[in-house]
Amino acid sequence: MCTVGGPMADVNMKKLKTKKYKCLKCGNDFKGLGKKVICPSCQSDNVEEV
């Protein structure tokens, strides 16, 4: 786990309300949350909710 100047947080990803996304640049399918979702593979913000 990586932190930058703050306390570490143990987050249980199964309890978070994630949504499924598809990257329109590289085709990667992934789960994400938040207002600005970025593809974990290519760092593109050109994604759509599926």
Side-chain angles (χ1 to χ4, degrees):
M1 185 175 289
C2 180
T3 63
V4 179
M8 290 181 59
D10 186 18
V11 178
N12 186 348
M13 291 300 286
K14 292 180 182 178
K15 291 184 179 180
L16 295 176
K17 303 286 185 200
T18 58
K19 296 179 182 177
K20 292 182 181 181
Y21 291 92
K22 181 174 187 90
C23 179
L24 300 176
K25 183 176 179 185
C26 72
N28 183 34
D29 292 320
F30 62 96
K31 291 183 180 179
L33 67 134
K35 293 183 179 181
K36 184 171 177 160
V37 179
I38 297 175
C39 175
S41 292
C42 69
Q43 270 61 93
S44 173
D45 62 354
N46 189 12
V47 299
E48 69 177 1
E49 189 176 338
V50 292

mmCIF file of all heavy atoms in Angstrom:
data_model
loop_
_atom_site.group_PDB
_atom_site.id
_atom_site.type_symbol
_atom_site.label_atom_id
_atom_site.label_comp_id
_atom_site.label_asym_id
_atom_site.label_seq_id
_atom_site.Cartn_x
_atom_site.Cartn_y
_atom_site.Cartn_z
ATOM 1 N N MET A 1 0.847 -1.178 0.000
ATOM 2 C CA MET A 1 0.000 0.000 0.000
ATOM 3 C C MET A 1 0.891 1.239 0.000
ATOM 4 O O MET A 1 1.927 1.258 0.624
ATOM 5 C CB MET A 1 -0.899 -0.024 1.229
ATOM 6 C CG MET A 1 -1.894 1.107 1.232
ATOM 7 S SD MET A 1 -3.052 1.022 2.600
ATOM 8 C CE MET A 1 -4.032 -0.366 2.093
ATOM 9 N N CYS A 2 0.470 2.248 -0.689
ATOM 10 C CA CYS A 2 1.266 3.459 -0.836
ATOM 11 C C CYS A 2 0.554 4.633 -0.179
ATOM 12 O O CYS A 2 -0.654 4.779 -0.323
ATOM 13 C CB CYS A 2 1.472 3.734 -2.317
ATOM 14 S SG CYS A 2 2.434 5.198 -2.628
ATOM 15 N N THR A 3 1.281 5.441 0.547
ATOM 16 C CA THR A 3 0.712 6.649 1.132
ATOM 17 C C THR A 3 1.611 7.826 0.832
ATOM 18 O O THR A 3 2.799 7.677 0.577
ATOM 19 C CB THR A 3 0.552 6.535 2.660
ATOM 20 O OG1 THR A 3 1.830 6.396 3.238
ATOM 21 C CG2 THR A 3 -0.309 5.357 3.050
ATOM 22 N N VAL A 4 1.038 9.005 0.877
ATOM 23 C CA VAL A 4 1.800 10.226 0.654
ATOM 24 C C VAL A 4 1.455 11.197 1.775
ATOM 25 O O VAL A 4 0.500 11.947 1.694
ATOM 26 C CB VAL A 4 1.477 10.853 -0.719
ATOM 27 C CG1 VAL A 4 2.270 12.139 -0.911
ATOM 28 C CG2 VAL A 4 1.764 9.886 -1.837
ATOM 29 N N GLY A 5 2.200 11.136 2.853
ATOM 30 C CA GLY A 5 2.059 12.093 3.929
ATOM 31 C C GLY A 5 0.810 11.991 4.783
ATOM 32 O O GLY A 5 0.524 12.886 5.541
ATOM 33 N N GLY A 6 0.039 10.942 4.665
ATOM 34 C CA GLY A 6 -1.181 10.814 5.455
ATOM 35 C C GLY A 6 -1.253 9.448 6.092
ATOM 36 O O GLY A 6 -0.425 8.578 5.845
ATOM 37 N N PRO A 7 -2.256 9.256 6.927
ATOM 38 C CA PRO A 7 -2.400 7.946 7.575
ATOM 39 C C PRO A 7 -2.838 6.893 6.569
ATOM 40 O O PRO A 7 -3.529 7.197 5.592
ATOM 41 C CB PRO A 7 -3.488 8.181 8.624
ATOM 42 C CG PRO A 7 -4.266 9.338 8.093
ATOM 43 C CD PRO A 7 -3.281 10.184 7.343
ATOM 44 N N MET A 8 -2.422 5.673 6.801
ATOM 45 C CA MET A 8 -2.828 4.572 5.931
ATOM 46 C C MET A 8 -4.263 4.187 6.264
ATOM 47 O O MET A 8 -4.691 4.288 7.405
ATOM 48 C CB MET A 8 -1.913 3.366 6.133
ATOM 49 C CG MET A 8 -0.519 3.578 5.611
ATOM 50 S SD MET A 8 0.545 2.151 5.839
ATOM 51 C CE MET A 8 -0.321 0.886 4.963
ATOM 52 N N ALA A 9 -5.003 3.758 5.279
ATOM 53 C CA ALA A 9 -6.383 3.337 5.474
ATOM 54 C C ALA A 9 -6.550 1.929 4.927
ATOM 55 O O ALA A 9 -6.102 1.635 3.825
ATOM 56 C CB ALA A 9 -7.336 4.288 4.764
ATOM 57 N N ASP A 10 -7.189 1.090 5.717
ATOM 58 C CA ASP A 10 -7.492 -0.261 5.265
ATOM 59 C C ASP A 10 -8.920 -0.242 4.719
ATOM 60 O O ASP A 10 -9.872 -0.178 5.476
ATOM 61 C CB ASP A 10 -7.351 -1.245 6.421
ATOM 62 C CG ASP A 10 -7.509 -2.688 5.980
ATOM 63 O OD1 ASP A 10 -7.392 -2.950 4.767
ATOM 64 O OD2 ASP A 10 -7.751 -3.543 6.842
ATOM 65 N N VAL A 11 -9.062 -0.273 3.394
ATOM 66 C CA VAL A 11 -10.367 -0.147 2.758
ATOM 67 C C VAL A 11 -10.809 -1.504 2.248
ATOM 68 O O VAL A 11 -10.077 -2.176 1.528
ATOM 69 C CB VAL A 11 -10.291 0.855 1.585
ATOM 70 C CG1 VAL A 11 -11.629 0.948 0.880
ATOM 71 C CG2 VAL A 11 -9.843 2.212 2.076
ATOM 72 N N ASN A 12 -12.010 -1.901 2.608
ATOM 73 C CA ASN A 12 -12.585 -3.145 2.123
ATOM 74 C C ASN A 12 -13.322 -2.841 0.818
ATOM 75 O O ASN A 12 -14.410 -2.278 0.816
ATOM 76 C CB ASN A 12 -13.537 -3.732 3.158
ATOM 77 C CG ASN A 12 -14.048 -5.101 2.762
ATOM 78 O OD1 ASN A 12 -13.879 -5.533 1.627
ATOM 79 N ND2 ASN A 12 -14.673 -5.791 3.696
ATOM 80 N N MET A 13 -12.718 -3.186 -0.326
ATOM 81 C CA MET A 13 -13.268 -2.852 -1.630
ATOM 82 C C MET A 13 -14.631 -3.511 -1.885
ATOM 83 O O MET A 13 -15.432 -3.008 -2.652
ATOM 84 C CB MET A 13 -12.297 -3.262 -2.742
ATOM 85 C CG MET A 13 -11.039 -2.441 -2.792
ATOM 86 S SD MET A 13 -11.316 -0.689 -3.075
ATOM 87 C CE MET A 13 -11.745 -0.707 -4.799
ATOM 88 N N LYS A 14 -14.926 -4.619 -1.234
ATOM 89 C CA LYS A 14 -16.202 -5.294 -1.445
ATOM 90 C C LYS A 14 -17.373 -4.486 -0.898
ATOM 91 O O LYS A 14 -18.484 -4.621 -1.365
ATOM 92 C CB LYS A 14 -16.173 -6.678 -0.803
ATOM 93 C CG LYS A 14 -15.229 -7.624 -1.496
ATOM 94 C CD LYS A 14 -15.218 -8.983 -0.844
ATOM 95 C CE LYS A 14 -14.224 -9.890 -1.527
ATOM 96 N NZ LYS A 14 -14.134 -11.192 -0.900
ATOM 97 N N LYS A 15 -17.136 -3.631 0.093
ATOM 98 C CA LYS A 15 -18.209 -2.837 0.688
ATOM 99 C C LYS A 15 -18.450 -1.523 -0.043
ATOM 100 O O LYS A 15 -19.476 -0.900 0.141
ATOM 101 C CB LYS A 15 -17.899 -2.551 2.157
ATOM 102 C CG LYS A 15 -17.962 -3.780 3.030
ATOM 103 C CD LYS A 15 -17.760 -3.445 4.473
ATOM 104 C CE LYS A 15 -17.855 -4.691 5.329
ATOM 105 N NZ LYS A 15 -17.667 -4.379 6.746
ATOM 106 N N LEU A 16 -17.523 -1.103 -0.894
ATOM 107 C CA LEU A 16 -17.692 0.136 -1.639
ATOM 108 C C LEU A 16 -18.621 -0.084 -2.835
ATOM 109 O O LEU A 16 -18.671 -1.159 -3.400
ATOM 110 C CB LEU A 16 -16.336 0.660 -2.131
ATOM 111 C CG LEU A 16 -15.354 1.071 -1.054
ATOM 112 C CD1 LEU A 16 -14.021 1.469 -1.689
ATOM 113 C CD2 LEU A 16 -15.892 2.223 -0.236
ATOM 114 N N LYS A 17 -19.351 0.939 -3.209
ATOM 115 C CA LYS A 17 -20.285 0.871 -4.327
ATOM 116 C C LYS A 17 -19.551 1.191 -5.628
ATOM 117 O O LYS A 17 -19.613 2.290 -6.150
ATOM 118 C CB LYS A 17 -21.432 1.859 -4.122
ATOM 119 C CG LYS A 17 -22.188 1.673 -2.842
ATOM 120 C CD LYS A 17 -23.076 0.460 -2.913
ATOM 121 C CE LYS A 17 -23.911 0.396 -1.645
ATOM 122 N NZ LYS A 17 -24.445 -0.872 -1.357
ATOM 123 N N THR A 18 -18.826 0.211 -6.150
ATOM 124 C CA THR A 18 -18.085 0.410 -7.389
ATOM 125 C C THR A 18 -19.001 0.184 -8.585
ATOM 126 O O THR A 18 -20.024 -0.485 -8.487
ATOM 127 C CB THR A 18 -16.885 -0.544 -7.482
ATOM 128 O OG1 THR A 18 -17.351 -1.890 -7.397
ATOM 129 C CG2 THR A 18 -15.886 -0.275 -6.379
ATOM 130 N N LYS A 19 -18.620 0.754 -9.710
ATOM 131 C CA LYS A 19 -19.341 0.571 -10.965
ATOM 132 C C LYS A 19 -18.389 -0.054 -11.977
ATOM 133 O O LYS A 19 -17.181 0.092 -11.871
ATOM 134 C CB LYS A 19 -19.838 1.916 -11.493
ATOM 135 C CG LYS A 19 -20.850 2.568 -10.584
ATOM 136 C CD LYS A 19 -21.280 3.901 -11.136
ATOM 137 C CE LYS A 19 -22.254 4.583 -10.200
ATOM 138 N NZ LYS A 19 -22.628 5.921 -10.695
ATOM 139 N N LYS A 20 -18.955 -0.734 -12.966
ATOM 140 C CA LYS A 20 -18.140 -1.354 -14.004
ATOM 141 C C LYS A 20 -17.937 -0.359 -15.143
ATOM 142 O O LYS A 20 -18.870 0.320 -15.559
ATOM 143 C CB LYS A 20 -18.812 -2.618 -14.522
ATOM 144 C CG LYS A 20 -18.864 -3.727 -13.489
ATOM 145 C CD LYS A 20 -19.482 -4.973 -14.067
ATOM 146 C CE LYS A 20 -19.543 -6.062 -13.009
ATOM 147 N NZ LYS A 20 -20.110 -7.298 -13.550
ATOM 148 N N TYR A 21 -16.699 -0.299 -15.639
ATOM 149 C CA TYR A 21 -16.339 0.616 -16.714
ATOM 150 C C TYR A 21 -15.571 -0.118 -17.797
ATOM 151 O O TYR A 21 -14.975 -1.163 -17.553
ATOM 152 C CB TYR A 21 -15.450 1.754 -16.183
ATOM 153 C CG TYR A 21 -16.171 2.699 -15.270
ATOM 154 C CD1 TYR A 21 -16.182 2.501 -13.896
ATOM 155 C CD2 TYR A 21 -16.839 3.807 -15.773
ATOM 156 C CE1 TYR A 21 -16.846 3.366 -13.053
ATOM 157 C CE2 TYR A 21 -17.498 4.686 -14.936
ATOM 158 C CZ TYR A 21 -17.501 4.462 -13.579
ATOM 159 O OH TYR A 21 -18.164 5.323 -12.745
ATOM 160 N N LYS A 22 -15.582 0.453 -18.993
ATOM 161 C CA LYS A 22 -14.786 -0.046 -20.111
ATOM 162 C C LYS A 22 -14.011 1.136 -20.673
ATOM 163 O O LYS A 22 -14.581 2.195 -20.920
ATOM 164 C CB LYS A 22 -15.658 -0.660 -21.189
ATOM 165 C CG LYS A 22 -14.858 -1.210 -22.355
ATOM 166 C CD LYS A 22 -15.744 -1.937 -23.334
ATOM 167 C CE LYS A 22 -14.931 -2.613 -24.399
ATOM 168 N NZ LYS A 22 -14.545 -3.962 -24.054
ATOM 169 N N CYS A 23 -12.714 0.939 -20.873
ATOM 170 C CA CYS A 23 -11.871 1.974 -21.458
ATOM 171 C C CYS A 23 -12.071 1.970 -22.967
ATOM 172 O O CYS A 23 -11.983 0.930 -23.617
ATOM 173 C CB CYS A 23 -10.402 1.717 -21.122
ATOM 174 S SG CYS A 23 -9.293 2.938 -21.849
ATOM 175 N N LEU A 24 -12.370 3.145 -23.522
ATOM 176 C CA LEU A 24 -12.589 3.260 -24.964
ATOM 177 C C LEU A 24 -11.282 3.373 -25.735
ATOM 178 O O LEU A 24 -11.276 3.294 -26.960
ATOM 179 C CB LEU A 24 -13.498 4.454 -25.255
ATOM 180 C CG LEU A 24 -14.878 4.379 -24.607
ATOM 181 C CD1 LEU A 24 -15.663 5.647 -24.880
ATOM 182 C CD2 LEU A 24 -15.639 3.155 -25.059
ATOM 183 N N LYS A 25 -10.171 3.543 -25.022
ATOM 184 C CA LYS A 25 -8.865 3.644 -25.674
ATOM 185 C C LYS A 25 -8.198 2.267 -25.818
ATOM 186 O O LYS A 25 -7.763 1.899 -26.893
ATOM 187 C CB LYS A 25 -7.960 4.585 -24.896
ATOM 188 C CG LYS A 25 -6.606 4.814 -25.536
ATOM 189 C CD LYS A 25 -5.787 5.827 -24.775
ATOM 190 C CE LYS A 25 -4.431 6.016 -25.423
ATOM 191 N NZ LYS A 25 -3.588 6.918 -24.626
ATOM 192 N N CYS A 26 -8.133 1.506 -24.702
ATOM 193 C CA CYS A 26 -7.424 0.217 -24.747
ATOM 194 C C CYS A 26 -8.346 -0.999 -24.609
ATOM 195 O O CYS A 26 -7.901 -2.127 -24.747
ATOM 196 C CB CYS A 26 -6.332 0.173 -23.679
ATOM 197 S SG CYS A 26 -6.934 0.009 -21.981
ATOM 198 N N GLY A 27 -9.642 -0.782 -24.287
ATOM 199 C CA GLY A 27 -10.582 -1.892 -24.183
ATOM 200 C C GLY A 27 -10.599 -2.595 -22.844
ATOM 201 O O GLY A 27 -11.290 -3.602 -22.693
ATOM 202 N N ASN A 28 -9.875 -2.105 -21.860
ATOM 203 C CA ASN A 28 -9.805 -2.732 -20.543
ATOM 204 C C ASN A 28 -11.141 -2.609 -19.816
ATOM 205 O O ASN A 28 -11.759 -1.553 -19.806
ATOM 206 C CB ASN A 28 -8.699 -2.053 -19.723
ATOM 207 C CG ASN A 28 -8.506 -2.693 -18.373
ATOM 208 O OD1 ASN A 28 -8.660 -3.896 -18.210
ATOM 209 N ND2 ASN A 28 -8.152 -1.890 -17.391
ATOM 210 N N ASP A 29 -11.623 -3.712 -19.215
ATOM 211 C CA ASP A 29 -12.804 -3.703 -18.352
ATOM 212 C C ASP A 29 -12.320 -3.651 -16.911
ATOM 213 O O ASP A 29 -11.435 -4.425 -16.525
ATOM 214 C CB ASP A 29 -13.634 -4.968 -18.566
ATOM 215 C CG ASP A 29 -14.282 -5.009 -19.938
ATOM 216 O OD1 ASP A 29 -14.764 -3.957 -20.393
ATOM 217 O OD2 ASP A 29 -14.312 -6.097 -20.550
ATOM 218 N N PHE A 30 -12.908 -2.763 -16.108
ATOM 219 C CA PHE A 30 -12.481 -2.619 -14.723
ATOM 220 C C PHE A 30 -13.593 -2.016 -13.877
ATOM 221 O O PHE A 30 -14.597 -1.544 -14.405
ATOM 222 C CB PHE A 30 -11.220 -1.739 -14.639
ATOM 223 C CG PHE A 30 -11.419 -0.325 -15.134
ATOM 224 C CD1 PHE A 30 -11.694 0.698 -14.251
ATOM 225 C CD2 PHE A 30 -11.329 -0.024 -16.480
ATOM 226 C CE1 PHE A 30 -11.888 1.990 -14.698
ATOM 227 C CE2 PHE A 30 -11.508 1.266 -16.938
ATOM 228 C CZ PHE A 30 -11.791 2.285 -16.041
ATOM 229 N N LYS A 31 -13.431 -2.068 -12.559
ATOM 230 C CA LYS A 31 -14.359 -1.448 -11.624
ATOM 231 C C LYS A 31 -13.728 -0.176 -11.090
ATOM 232 O O LYS A 31 -12.519 -0.114 -10.889
ATOM 233 C CB LYS A 31 -14.668 -2.392 -10.457
ATOM 234 C CG LYS A 31 -15.485 -3.591 -10.852
ATOM 235 C CD LYS A 31 -15.807 -4.433 -9.649
ATOM 236 C CE LYS A 31 -16.627 -5.647 -10.046
ATOM 237 N NZ LYS A 31 -16.923 -6.479 -8.869
ATOM 238 N N GLY A 32 -14.561 0.830 -10.873
ATOM 239 C CA GLY A 32 -14.053 2.095 -10.364
ATOM 240 C C GLY A 32 -15.129 2.839 -9.600
ATOM 241 O O GLY A 32 -16.287 2.437 -9.577
ATOM 242 N N LEU A 33 -14.724 3.933 -8.970
ATOM 243 C CA LEU A 33 -15.665 4.786 -8.285
ATOM 244 C C LEU A 33 -15.132 6.204 -8.277
ATOM 245 O O LEU A 33 -13.946 6.430 -8.482
ATOM 246 C CB LEU A 33 -15.932 4.298 -6.862
ATOM 247 C CG LEU A 33 -14.795 4.364 -5.860
ATOM 248 C CD1 LEU A 33 -15.310 4.958 -4.568
ATOM 249 C CD2 LEU A 33 -14.279 2.969 -5.596
ATOM 250 N N GLY A 34 -16.023 7.143 -8.079
ATOM 251 C CA GLY A 34 -15.634 8.543 -8.063
ATOM 252 C C GLY A 34 -16.172 9.280 -9.269
ATOM 253 O O GLY A 34 -16.846 8.717 -10.126
ATOM 254 N N LYS A 35 -15.857 10.564 -9.328
ATOM 255 C CA LYS A 35 -16.360 11.409 -10.410
ATOM 256 C C LYS A 35 -15.477 11.364 -11.643
ATOM 257 O O LYS A 35 -15.951 11.482 -12.753
ATOM 258 C CB LYS A 35 -16.488 12.847 -9.928
ATOM 259 C CG LYS A 35 -17.556 13.016 -8.879
ATOM 260 C CD LYS A 35 -17.706 14.449 -8.470
ATOM 261 C CE LYS A 35 -18.803 14.575 -7.435
ATOM 262 N NZ LYS A 35 -19.017 15.950 -7.010
ATOM 263 N N LYS A 36 -14.176 11.213 -11.466
ATOM 264 C CA LYS A 36 -13.250 11.168 -12.606
ATOM 265 C C LYS A 36 -12.549 9.810 -12.587
ATOM 266 O O LYS A 36 -11.536 9.629 -11.931
ATOM 267 C CB LYS A 36 -12.235 12.296 -12.529
ATOM 268 C CG LYS A 36 -11.334 12.328 -13.723
ATOM 269 C CD LYS A 36 -10.470 13.541 -13.795
ATOM 270 C CE LYS A 36 -9.574 13.391 -14.991
ATOM 271 N NZ LYS A 36 -9.031 14.604 -15.466
ATOM 272 N N VAL A 37 -13.105 8.873 -13.335
ATOM 273 C CA VAL A 37 -12.575 7.508 -13.374
ATOM 274 C C VAL A 37 -11.512 7.440 -14.466
ATOM 275 O O VAL A 37 -11.705 7.929 -15.570
ATOM 276 C CB VAL A 37 -13.709 6.500 -13.647
ATOM 277 C CG1 VAL A 37 -13.162 5.093 -13.717
ATOM 278 C CG2 VAL A 37 -14.768 6.606 -12.571
ATOM 279 N N ILE A 38 -10.376 6.821 -14.133
ATOM 280 C CA ILE A 38 -9.260 6.683 -15.059
ATOM 281 C C ILE A 38 -8.913 5.202 -15.196
ATOM 282 O O ILE A 38 -8.878 4.474 -14.214
ATOM 283 C CB ILE A 38 -8.033 7.481 -14.560
ATOM 284 C CG1 ILE A 38 -8.380 8.965 -14.522
ATOM 285 C CG2 ILE A 38 -6.822 7.238 -15.434
ATOM 286 C CD1 ILE A 38 -7.299 9.832 -13.934
ATOM 287 N N CYS A 39 -8.657 4.774 -16.416
ATOM 288 C CA CYS A 39 -8.297 3.379 -16.690
ATOM 289 C C CYS A 39 -6.990 3.034 -15.974
ATOM 290 O O CYS A 39 -5.988 3.745 -16.131
ATOM 291 C CB CYS A 39 -8.140 3.174 -18.190
ATOM 292 S SG CYS A 39 -7.560 1.525 -18.631
ATOM 293 N N PRO A 40 -6.967 1.945 -15.204
ATOM 294 C CA PRO A 40 -5.737 1.556 -14.510
ATOM 295 C C PRO A 40 -4.649 1.030 -15.449
ATOM 296 O O PRO A 40 -3.480 1.018 -15.090
ATOM 297 C CB PRO A 40 -6.194 0.467 -13.535
ATOM 298 C CG PRO A 40 -7.450 -0.070 -14.108
ATOM 299 C CD PRO A 40 -8.091 1.063 -14.865
ATOM 300 N N SER A 41 -5.000 0.630 -16.672
ATOM 301 C CA SER A 41 -4.007 0.100 -17.605
ATOM 302 C C SER A 41 -3.277 1.187 -18.381
ATOM 303 O O SER A 41 -2.057 1.179 -18.468
ATOM 304 C CB SER A 41 -4.668 -0.854 -18.596
ATOM 305 O OG SER A 41 -5.111 -2.009 -17.939
ATOM 306 N N CYS A 42 -4.050 2.133 -18.954
ATOM 307 C CA CYS A 42 -3.413 3.120 -19.833
ATOM 308 C C CYS A 42 -3.547 4.564 -19.327
ATOM 309 O O CYS A 42 -3.102 5.490 -19.994
ATOM 310 C CB CYS A 42 -3.989 3.009 -21.243
ATOM 311 S SG CYS A 42 -5.709 3.535 -21.385
ATOM 312 N N GLN A 43 -4.195 4.758 -18.191
ATOM 313 C CA GLN A 43 -4.387 6.066 -17.573
ATOM 314 C C GLN A 43 -5.253 7.020 -18.404
ATOM 315 O O GLN A 43 -5.220 8.227 -18.201
ATOM 316 C CB GLN A 43 -3.052 6.746 -17.277
ATOM 317 C CG GLN A 43 -2.477 6.446 -15.910
ATOM 318 C CD GLN A 43 -2.177 4.972 -15.654
ATOM 319 O OE1 GLN A 43 -1.119 4.575 -15.885
ATOM 320 N NE2 GLN A 43 -3.050 4.166 -15.158
ATOM 321 N N SER A 44 -6.047 6.503 -19.321
ATOM 322 C CA SER A 44 -6.961 7.330 -20.119
ATOM 323 C C SER A 44 -8.225 7.623 -19.307
ATOM 324 O O SER A 44 -8.684 6.791 -18.536
ATOM 325 C CB SER A 44 -7.344 6.589 -21.406
ATOM 326 O OG SER A 44 -8.343 7.303 -22.097
ATOM 327 N N ASP A 45 -8.778 8.812 -19.508
ATOM 328 C CA ASP A 45 -10.057 9.132 -18.868
ATOM 329 C C ASP A 45 -11.217 8.972 -19.855
ATOM 330 O O ASP A 45 -12.350 9.337 -19.578
ATOM 331 C CB ASP A 45 -10.049 10.541 -18.278
ATOM 332 C CG ASP A 45 -9.845 11.630 -19.314
ATOM 333 O OD1 ASP A 45 -9.602 11.303 -20.491
ATOM 334 O OD2 ASP A 45 -9.935 12.813 -18.939
ATOM 335 N N ASN A 46 -10.954 8.363 -21.000
ATOM 336 C CA ASN A 46 -11.961 8.097 -22.018
ATOM 337 C C ASN A 46 -12.607 6.741 -21.717
ATOM 338 O O ASN A 46 -12.314 5.732 -22.354
ATOM 339 C CB ASN A 46 -11.326 8.122 -23.417
ATOM 340 C CG ASN A 46 -12.370 8.075 -24.516
ATOM 341 O OD1 ASN A 46 -13.547 8.237 -24.279
ATOM 342 N ND2 ASN A 46 -11.901 7.838 -25.728
ATOM 343 N N VAL A 47 -13.477 6.722 -20.691
ATOM 344 C CA VAL A 47 -14.113 5.482 -20.235
ATOM 345 C C VAL A 47 -15.621 5.653 -20.249
ATOM 346 O O VAL A 47 -16.142 6.760 -20.203
ATOM 347 C CB VAL A 47 -13.629 5.087 -18.822
ATOM 348 C CG1 VAL A 47 -12.132 4.850 -18.800
ATOM 349 C CG2 VAL A 47 -14.014 6.108 -17.791
ATOM 350 N N GLU A 48 -16.325 4.505 -20.333
ATOM 351 C CA GLU A 48 -17.776 4.532 -20.259
ATOM 352 C C GLU A 48 -18.252 3.502 -19.252
ATOM 353 O O GLU A 48 -17.634 2.455 -19.069
ATOM 354 C CB GLU A 48 -18.408 4.271 -21.624
ATOM 355 C CG GLU A 48 -18.241 2.863 -22.139
ATOM 356 C CD GLU A 48 -18.954 2.634 -23.478
ATOM 357 O OE1 GLU A 48 -19.558 3.583 -24.000
ATOM 358 O OE2 GLU A 48 -18.871 1.510 -23.986
ATOM 359 N N GLU A 49 -19.359 3.818 -18.579
ATOM 360 C CA GLU A 49 -19.954 2.882 -17.630
ATOM 361 C C GLU A 49 -20.701 1.803 -18.405
ATOM 362 O O GLU A 49 -21.384 2.084 -19.384
ATOM 363 C CB GLU A 49 -20.931 3.635 -16.719
ATOM 364 C CG GLU A 49 -21.433 2.811 -15.564
ATOM 365 C CD GLU A 49 -22.325 3.610 -14.634
ATOM 366 O OE1 GLU A 49 -22.239 4.840 -14.621
ATOM 367 O OE2 GLU A 49 -23.112 2.968 -13.928
ATOM 368 N N VAL A 50 -20.526 0.547 -17.996
ATOM 369 C CA VAL A 50 -21.207 -0.564 -18.667
ATOM 370 C C VAL A 50 -22.181 -1.237 -17.738
ATOM 371 O O VAL A 50 -22.157 -1.105 -16.578
ATOM 372 C CB VAL A 50 -20.218 -1.605 -19.243
ATOM 373 C CG1 VAL A 50 -19.455 -1.009 -20.390
ATOM 374 C CG2 VAL A 50 -19.295 -2.136 -18.199
#
